[in-house]
Amino acid sequence: MAFRAVNSRIVQAEVLPGQRLFSQRGAMLAYQGEVSFTPSITGGQGGVLGMIGRRIANEATPLMAVEGHGTVMFGHGGHHVQVIELSGETLYVESDRLLAFDGSLRQGTMFMGSQGGVMGVVRGQATGQGLFTTTLNGHGAAAVLAHGGFVELPITPQRPVHVDPQAYVAHRGEVRNRLSAALGWRELVGRGSGEAFRLELSGNGTVYVQASEEKL
């Protein structure tokens, strides 16, 4: 399955017989050919167990399965779209950031506390992104949403990346995250800015950062 950027806010996917992709419900803008759109309960190759995990985690953004033979254009709310190609690694992304993805990718859910311990949980509470995140693993592509465009930053053991948690969109690779106070606790009193915290990502991989701190 191939995604192609039409512009910064719209992607087009070629749908071929015997293949399937998934998208957010209501994200289809236009299509050509013999294409069907069916509400999907399970979504991806995570199956029923993956669906149950996502519902428990409140990571169950409604999806539709797209099948047939033709081309489909996707977009949502005028947000910027980034196509991310996966070659066997895992992408970690909030479910409402997923615009569309190849049906060949295996979808799952991960508890953020398992990446960063207690601070992974604090991150979810402090940023409003939730305590769980959606994972996509395998070979294929995913189209991800963000405000104001994307910046793609490499993460290496020698050069970890520090991100404003509200600007974080997704990451991939063998990466650990840790939330910490950007200022001393005394200076935090009375401050409501998300910049009071910073998200440190270390290891080997890539992080995707949006230009605006607004939520979708």
Side-chain angles (χ1 to χ4, degrees):
M1 194 75 63
F3 288 98
R4 180 181 66 85
V6 177
N7 56 39
S8 62
R9 293 173 172 83
I10 300 174
V11 295
Q12 178 175 288
E14 182 180 3
V15 184
L16 300 175
Q19 297 183 3
R20 174 188 296 178
L21 64 84
F22 294 92
S23 75
Q24 285 192 22
R25 294 186 194 176
M28 186 275 290
L29 301 177
Y31 74 92
Q32 293 178 301
E34 298 296 324
V35 183
S36 65
F37 304 88
T38 308
S40 174
I41 297 177
T42 56
Q45 295 189 348
V48 175
L49 290 178
M51 177 269 292
I52 293 173
R54 289 190 298 278
R55 290 202 176 275
I56 292 175
N58 197 27
E59 278 282 315
T61 297
L63 297 175
M64 60 182 177
V66 183
E67 298 175 282
H69 190 193
T71 57
V72 186
M73 291 185 180
F74 296 102
H76 179 70
H79 300 303
H80 285 76
V81 183
Q82 173 81 16
V83 176
I84 300 174
E85 298 284 346
L86 298 177
S87 301
E89 67 267 53
T90 299
L91 176 70
Y92 302 83
V93 59
E94 302 301 306
S95 62
D96 60 359
R97 303 279 184 176
L98 271 177
L99 176 65
F101 61 95
D102 286 338
S104 58
L105 296 174
R106 182 175 180 84
Q107 186 183 18
T109 303
M110 188 194 73
F111 177 55
M112 287 306 298
S114 67
Q115 276 207 348
V118 174
M119 293 312 291
V121 178
V122 174
R123 174 200 152 195
Q125 295 175 331
T127 65
Q129 292 184 14
L131 303 184
F132 295 80
T133 195
T134 294
T135 61
L136 293 175
N137 176 264
H139 295 264
V144 179
L145 297 166
H147 277 285
F150 287 79
V151 175
E152 183 176 336
L153 299 174
I155 303 166
T156 67
Q158 295 77 27
R159 294 181 65 87
V161 178
H162 301 269
V163 178
D164 182 327
Q166 294 177 343
Y168 167 87
V169 174
H171 73 270
R172 65 176 176 176
E174 298 298 321
V175 175
R176 292 190 60 81
N177 69 73
R178 183 173 65 90
L179 188 77
S180 61
L183 301 172
W185 285 107
R186 292 180 180 178
E187 288 81 7
L188 290 178
V189 176
R191 298 187 182 223
S193 170
E195 293 177 358
F197 295 93
R198 63 188 174 202
L199 183 64
E200 178 183 311
L201 299 112
S202 59
N204 285 290
T206 304
V207 60
Y208 299 88
V209 179
Q210 65 180 5
S212 169
E213 296 178 357
E214 295 182 24
K215 298 180 181 178
L216 294 181

